[in-house]
Amino acid sequence: MNRVAAGFTETLRAVFSDRYAVVTLVGAVVLYSFFYPVAYRHQVASQYPVLVVDQDRSPMSRALVRKVSAVRAVRIAGDALSMKEAQRRVARGEAEGILVIEEGLHREILRGGQGRLALFGSGALLGRGAAVLEGLGDAAAAFGRDAAMAQARFAGVPAAPPVQLVTRPLFNIREGYGSAIVPGVAQLIVQQTLLIGMLVLAGTRRERMGRLAFSRPGLLGIAAAFALIGMCSTLYYNGFVMWMQDYPRGGNPPGILLGAGLYIAAVVAFALFIGSFFRTRERPFQLLTVTSLPLFFLSGLSWPAVAMPQPLAWLARLVPSTPGINAMVKLNQMGASVAEASPELCNLLALTLLYGALAAWRYRPKRGSRTPDGAPVPAQPRP
């Protein structure tokens, strides 16, 4: 027990005496929590400018324009006399889309036929173009329902629609980008900052001491110290940050504590094992900078796991962030039970045991050498 405590206190002392470790393990965690969600502050696409080319100039075409004005995603930026003029204005960046109301719309609908509309979105920014087309499509669909009811009333048929559709989002109640992305990215931030901090310290000690060796109690104390820092980070994100940014949260508090504990344990074990291969303190920054985005895609949160090649999906389960992101989103945002998140929790437990055993093997002292209570000592290179 003394060796565990010695390893715990020595590790915390090493962390807070290394400014790079403090900046990564503490400063970066706080910095990301304020600045990363800024890009998703508005949550949903709204008020993208569109141009209207009204070739019909009828009361019905004006009613359609009013429908478009009521859609949250777009706003009417003005009229254009022709399609060519509208295209030139979109090319200059004045608008993100075009609504063309062809001549004869009013006449065709009154005759019981179908009016013709054309919707165009700019391809310069695909996200905006898709939002504009979706918004214009919603307005056109609502206008079509109203026109169908008007035709029914004119023909003496009951005008009430036979089915009324009401949609209620269960988890992401705002249907916003931030609520969909930030909770998952927060778990990846916890992993990456903890990994960088641990690998920097491992590389620093490797530069000074050569091969590192720890007794098993000492290694357990080191893991406990980093686990404490990691738990503070993950509870900070899944508690305070989710509340401050007003994202979905608090679905299953006991499950969150269990999931956070297993996630951090797996990350610490993974970092201890990976850190045994680093010889310099600069290398972790280079490696983790280029792996963060692929790790997020491999988690299956933004790209469905069922659409991945099976070998890649299996490989993704060897990284703690994959089950960790999915487990924490289920437990915190969706309110899932522990049983419903059990596949991810079991995956995290298996990774903890696997990488913990590998780390103990990598840091084993040379036979015949002694280690102080929890303190690393350089071992002679193996022949």
Side-chain angles (χ1 to χ4, degrees), residues 32-47:
Y32 274 120
S33 69
F34 285 96
F35 286 96
Y36 183 79
V38 168
Y40 304 97
R41 182 188 305 167
H42 299 292
Q43 288 276 17
V44 293
S46 61
Q47 300 298 300

Side-chain angles (χ1 to χ4, degrees), residues 214-297:
F214 302 94
S215 65
R216 289 184 180 178
L219 189 63
L220 182 60
I222 293 171
F226 284 117
L228 175 62
I229 297 173
M231 280 297 292
C232 291
S233 297
T234 192
L235 294 179
Y236 168 73
Y237 270 102
N238 289 282
F240 174 75
V241 173
M242 297 301 156
W243 167 79
M244 180 186 66
Q245 301 289 348
D246 196 23
Y247 292 136
R249 62 195 178 275
N252 183 355
I256 293 171
L257 291 174
L258 175 61
L262 288 174
Y263 180 41
I264 293 303
V267 172
V268 169
F270 179 69
L272 286 173
F273 172 62
I274 296 297
S276 66
F277 296 95
F278 284 82
R279 298 180 179 274
T280 62
R281 61 184 287 124
E282 293 80 13
R283 194 68 66 188
F285 291 99
Q286 301 170 353
L287 177 65
L288 295 181
T289 299
V290 300
T291 58
S292 296
L293 189 59
L295 287 178
F296 181 70
F297 283 114

Side-chain angles (χ1 to χ4, degrees), residues 7 90 96 345 367:
V90 169
E96 300 289 343
L345 298 179
R367 184 173 299 177

Side-chain angles (χ1 to χ4, degrees), residues 48-58 60-70 74-87 89-90 94-102 105 117-120 132 136 139:
Y48 288 140
V50 298
L51 298 172
V52 176
V53 181
D54 188 356
Q55 299 172 347
D56 194 47
R57 301 289 178 180
S58 66
M60 197 163 287
S61 67
R62 290 191 289 272
L64 173 58
V65 173
R66 287 194 295 271
K67 285 287 186 183
V68 173
S69 300
V74 300
R75 63 176 174 85
I76 303 298
D79 297 326
L81 297 178
S82 66
M83 186 61 185
K84 289 185 177 180
E85 179 190 347
Q87 288 175 329
R89 293 174 65 178
V90 169
E94 297 180 20
E96 300 289 343
I98 304 171
L99 168 63
V100 179
I101 306 174
E102 296 191 6
L105 174 76
L117 303 174
L119 311 178
F120 300 89
V132 166
L136 293 177

Side-chain angles (χ1 to χ4, degrees), residues 321-378:
S321 57
T322 299
I325 289 174
N326 288 281
M328 295 305 293
V329 168
K330 282 184 178 181
L331 295 168
N332 197 11
Q333 276 67 50
M334 298 183 177
S337 65
V338 172
E340 290 169 327
S342 59
E344 290 81 10
L345 298 179
C346 291
N347 191 171
L348 290 171
L349 178 60
L351 293 180
T352 302
L353 297 175
L354 172 64
Y355 291 121
L358 291 174
W361 173 71
R362 286 286 298 173
Y363 291 111
R364 69 193 186 281
K366 183 181 178 183
R367 184 173 299 177
S369 64
R370 294 184 179 181
T371 58
D373 291 344
V377 297

